[in-house]
Amino acid sequence: DYFPQQTDYRWNYKVIPLDDSNNEIDSLTFFRADSFAAVINFMGNDADLVLSKSGPLNVINYLPYIDSSYFSFETSNAHQYFRISNLGNLLAILDSIGFDSSSIGIILSFEDWYSVFRFAQPVGNEYTIFSKDTTINISGTDIPIRFEYLGKRLADETIQTEAGSFLCKKFQLSTVVSYILYPPIVIPLFTLETTKWFSENIWLVKEITPSQTIDLSYLGYGSFTIPGLKTILIPLITGVRHSDQNPSEFTLSQNYPNPFNPATRINFSVPEPGNVSLKVYNILGKEVFTLIDEQKNAGNYTVTFDPGSHEISSGVYFYVLKYDGMQLIHKMIFLK
C-alpha cells in the first residue's frame, strides 16, 4: 500500500548537502527525479523498477535517467535489491584507508534481494537485514571484518514538505563495520546511518544521511568526514504521468538499460491515432520478436522487452518502430 500502483508515477526531490555540523548548505542544493518505470522480473523476483537522475532544477527534466533501483513486495515487507552503489560512503572510507580494489569481489558478493523495510515490525525493535563475515586486504594486510546491515522501525511521524503534509512510517538503516578480533570477540569500528520516511501511496517522502566523522586513528588510519545529505519531496511534477500529455512528435527513445539482461524498457510517442508496430530484428535482419502491432491513440508509451525463455544469443539487435509510413530504428545489446 505504500508504493504507487501506476507505472510512470514520478517523484521529485530537493537534495541539500549537510556540513560537518549537519547544517544545510543551501548554495549546493540540487534536485533528483525518480520514475516508476516498469514492472519486470529481476534476479528471480517480480520487481518494480525505479529510475533516477540528479541535476540542477533548470535542466533536470532534460537529463537522462542514469541510475536504477529495484523493489519487490511480500505481505508487509518491502524487499530491495542491494547493490554496490548502496555502499558509496562505505567504499569511500575503505578507499581512504588503502582498500585493495582487487578485493572488490567481496563487496560485490553482498548484492542480493533483502527484506529492508518491514512495515509490521514493532516500533523500536532492531532487525538484521544481513550480516557477513569476510576478510579484506587493506594496505597489504588481510583483516577479518564483519559487515552488518541493520534496520529499525521508529515511531510514525508526520512530515511537512512543500508537497504537503504526510503521515509516514519511519525507518533507520545502519551499516556497521566491525573488526573480528577473535570469534566471538567483535569490535565495532564505525556505523553509517540513514533515516527514511514513507507515506502510503507515495513511497519515499524524506531521507536524511547525517554527516559523520569516522575516527580510525587508533588503528593508524586517521579520521574521515563523510558529508551528509537531506532529501525531501517537492511538488514539481509529483505523480504526473507522461501519458497525460499528448506528444507533438513521433519519437523513439534509446532503450534503458542498455546493454541489458534480463529485460529493458523502450519508450515511444505518437502524435495522432494510427497503426503502430514495434519489432525486434537480429543483426542479419531477421525478425525475432513482435512487441506491438496494433492501433494506438496519440500518447506516450512504454514497452518492456524481456526475451524470457526464448533461445536468443547475446549480441546486437535492432528495434524498429513504424507509424503512418514513417519508421525509427535504434540498436540495443543483449547480454546473457
Side-chain angles (χ1 to χ4, degrees):
D1 294 336
Y2 279 76
F3 197 86
Q5 299 300 308
Q6 176 63 53
T7 56
D8 261 355
Y9 191 98
R10 291 193 171 193
W11 303 263
N12 292 269
Y13 300 99
K14 179 189 293 183
V15 185
I16 310 168
L18 306 175
D19 64 18
D20 54 9
S21 298
N22 285 305
N23 298 311
E24 296 180 6
I25 310 174
D26 292 330
S27 61
L28 299 180
T29 294
F30 60 98
F31 295 83
R32 188 180 103 200
D34 292 358
S35 175
F36 177 15
V39 179
I40 64 173
N41 186 277
F42 182 77
M43 296 298 179
N45 280 15
D46 290 333
D48 292 340
L49 168 62
V50 175
L51 302 179
S52 299
K53 57 182 176 179
S54 300
L57 180 61
N58 60 335
V59 300
I60 191 167
N61 286 333
Y62 306 102
L63 298 176
Y65 289 101
I66 60 173
D67 200 4
S68 56
S69 301
Y70 300 87
F71 300 96
S72 181
F73 301 93
E74 180 184 12
T75 61
S76 59
N77 294 334
H79 300 257
Q80 182 173 7
Y81 192 81
F82 192 84
R83 307 169 73 187
I84 193 170
S85 58
N86 297 110
L87 296 172
N89 285 343
L90 173 59
L91 293 176
I93 295 172
L94 294 176
D95 184 64
S96 298
I97 62 178
F99 174 64
D100 185 350
S101 60
S102 65
S103 301
I104 196 68
I106 295 170
I107 307 298
L108 286 170
S109 70
F110 297 172
E111 295 195 347
D112 204 347
W113 284 105
Y114 297 102
S115 177
V116 178
F117 305 107
R118 304 179 186 181
F119 285 82
Q121 185 78 11
V123 170
N125 283 17
E126 188 172 72
Y127 52 90
T128 299
I129 299 169
F130 70 72
S131 178
K132 295 183 181 291
D133 293 350
T134 188
T135 300
I136 63 174
N137 188 280
I138 296 178
S139 301
T141 302
D142 289 334
I143 300 178
I145 291 291
R146 173 170 295 171
F147 293 97
E148 295 176 283
Y149 194 36
L150 310 175
K152 181 189 291 186
R153 187 184 152 209
L154 305 178
D156 294 357
E157 189 173 337
T158 297
I159 298 298
Q160 303 290 336
T161 76
E162 296 176 27
S165 177
F166 302 93
L167 177 62
C168 297
K169 299 290 186 186
K170 183 179 180 181
F171 292 88
Q172 183 182 78
L173 303 176
S174 303
T175 302
V176 183
V177 179
S178 303
Y179 174 63
I180 305 174
L181 179 62
Y182 186 82
I185 301 174
V186 178
I187 303 172
L189 298 177
F190 59 86
T191 300
L192 302 174
E193 294 184 345
T194 296
T195 304
K196 296 174 181 272
W197 290 259
F198 298 94
S199 182
E200 192 170 357
N201 297 318
I202 300 293
W203 195 235
L204 182 66
V205 169
K206 181 179 176 181
E207 176 179 343
I208 293 181
T209 301
S211 297
Q212 187 172 349
T213 298
I214 307 299
D215 186 4
L216 297 178
S217 57
Y218 61 96
L219 295 177
Y221 295 118
S223 61
F224 313 90
T225 298
I226 302 299
L229 287 177
K230 175 182 177 180
T231 303
I232 192 160
L233 190 70
I234 58 174
L236 283 179
I237 50 174
T238 302
V240 174
R241 306 200 312 255
H242 287 297
S243 55
D244 294 332
Q245 303 172 6
N246 286 338
S248 59
E249 296 180 298
F250 172 53
T251 64
L252 176 65
S253 299
Q254 182 65 52
N255 65 300
Y256 183 90
N258 187 44
F260 70 98
N261 182 5
T264 189
R265 187 178 68 128
I266 300 170
N267 294 327
F268 66 90
S269 303
V270 292
E272 299 289 344
N275 190 75
V276 175
S277 74
L278 179 61
K279 299 182 179 182
V280 179
Y281 298 82
N282 63 20
I283 199 168
L284 299 177
K286 179 182 178 181
E287 180 183 326
V288 292
F289 287 94
T290 297
L291 301 178
I292 293 177
D293 190 4
E294 62 189 36
Q295 191 78 9
K296 290 286 188 183
N297 291 324
N300 299 288
Y301 295 92
T302 298
V303 175
T304 298
F305 174 45
D306 184 351
S309 60
H310 295 274
E311 290 297 326
I312 68 169
S313 59
S314 298
V316 175
Y317 292 84
F318 297 90
Y319 56 101
V320 179
L321 180 68
K322 294 183 179 181
Y323 159 80
D324 196 26
M326 299 179 287
Q327 74 173 24
L328 298 169
I329 302 174
H330 277 300
K331 179 175 67 175
M332 60 183 172
I333 300 173
F334 175 60
L335 298 178
K336 272 195 171 180

